[in-house]
Amino acid sequence: MSSQKIVAIILIIAGAVLVLWVLMMWMMPSMMGNMMGGMMGSMSGCMGMCTFGPLLLAAVLVILGVVLVRKGS
Protein backbone atom coordinates (compact mmCIF):
# COMPACT_ATOMS: atom_id res chain seq x y z
CA MET A 1 0.00 0.00 0.00
CA SER A 2 1.42 3.37 -0.97
CA SER A 3 1.98 6.15 1.52
CA GLN A 4 -0.54 8.30 -0.37
CA LYS A 5 -3.31 5.76 0.30
CA ILE A 6 -2.31 5.51 3.96
CA VAL A 7 -2.53 9.29 4.34
CA ALA A 8 -5.90 9.27 2.56
CA ILE A 9 -7.27 6.61 4.90
CA ILE A 10 -6.00 8.54 7.94
CA LEU A 11 -7.70 11.72 6.66
CA ILE A 12 -11.01 9.90 6.14
CA ILE A 13 -10.85 8.30 9.60
CA ALA A 14 -9.97 11.66 11.21
CA GLY A 15 -12.96 13.26 9.49
CA ALA A 16 -15.26 10.48 10.68
CA VAL A 17 -13.99 10.75 14.26
CA LEU A 18 -14.54 14.51 14.16
CA VAL A 19 -18.13 14.03 13.00
CA LEU A 20 -18.72 11.50 15.78
CA TRP A 21 -17.28 13.96 18.33
CA VAL A 22 -19.66 16.68 17.13
CA LEU A 23 -22.61 14.29 17.35
CA MET A 24 -21.56 13.33 20.87
CA MET A 25 -21.44 16.99 21.88
CA TRP A 26 -24.96 17.46 20.50
CA MET A 27 -26.27 14.44 22.42
CA MET A 28 -24.61 15.31 25.73
CA PRO A 29 -27.32 17.73 27.02
CA SER A 30 -30.07 15.16 26.43
CA MET A 31 -28.00 12.41 28.06
CA MET A 32 -27.36 14.59 31.12
CA GLY A 33 -31.10 14.90 31.69
CA ASN A 34 -32.18 17.12 34.56
CA MET A 35 -28.92 16.79 36.42
CA MET A 36 -27.54 20.05 35.06
CA GLY A 37 -30.45 20.96 32.80
CA GLY A 38 -30.29 24.74 32.99
CA MET A 39 -26.59 25.10 32.41
CA MET A 40 -26.45 22.44 29.70
CA GLY A 41 -29.51 23.91 27.99
CA SER A 42 -27.85 27.29 27.65
CA MET A 43 -24.65 25.67 26.45
CA SER A 44 -26.41 23.75 23.68
CA GLY A 45 -26.99 26.95 21.69
CA CYS A 46 -23.30 27.76 21.93
CA MET A 47 -22.42 24.21 20.90
CA GLY A 48 -24.70 24.59 17.90
CA MET A 49 -22.79 27.65 16.76
CA CYS A 50 -19.42 26.01 17.45
CA THR A 51 -20.12 22.86 15.45
CA PHE A 52 -19.99 24.52 12.04
CA GLY A 53 -16.19 24.76 12.08
CA PRO A 54 -15.49 21.15 13.08
CA LEU A 55 -18.05 19.82 10.59
CA LEU A 56 -16.51 21.92 7.83
CA LEU A 57 -13.07 20.63 8.78
CA ALA A 58 -14.39 17.04 8.76
CA ALA A 59 -15.86 17.55 5.30
CA VAL A 60 -12.54 18.92 4.01
CA LEU A 61 -10.61 16.00 5.53
CA VAL A 62 -12.92 13.41 4.00
CA ILE A 63 -12.89 15.13 0.59
CA LEU A 64 -9.09 15.32 0.62
CA GLY A 65 -8.91 11.65 1.58
CA VAL A 66 -11.27 10.61 -1.21
CA VAL A 67 -9.36 12.71 -3.76
CA LEU A 68 -6.07 11.13 -2.69
CA VAL A 69 -7.53 7.62 -2.92
CA ARG A 70 -8.95 8.26 -6.40
CA LYS A 71 -5.75 9.98 -7.56
CA GLY A 72 -3.67 7.01 -6.40
CA SER A 73 -5.83 4.48 -8.22
Side-chain angles (χ1 to χ4, degrees), residues 26-71:
W26 269 100
M27 293 302 295
M28 188 156 324
S30 64
M31 290 187 325
M32 295 289 286
N34 291 330
M35 194 165 73
M36 296 174 64
M39 185 177 81
M40 293 304 286
S42 64
M43 286 177 55
S44 65
C46 177
M47 285 190 297
M49 295 299 289
C50 296
T51 56
F52 179 73
L55 286 178
L56 184 63
L57 177 62
V60 168
L61 289 174
V62 170
I63 290 170
L64 282 175
V66 170
V67 167
L68 284 176
V69 165
R70 298 198 107 198
K71 186 177 177 183

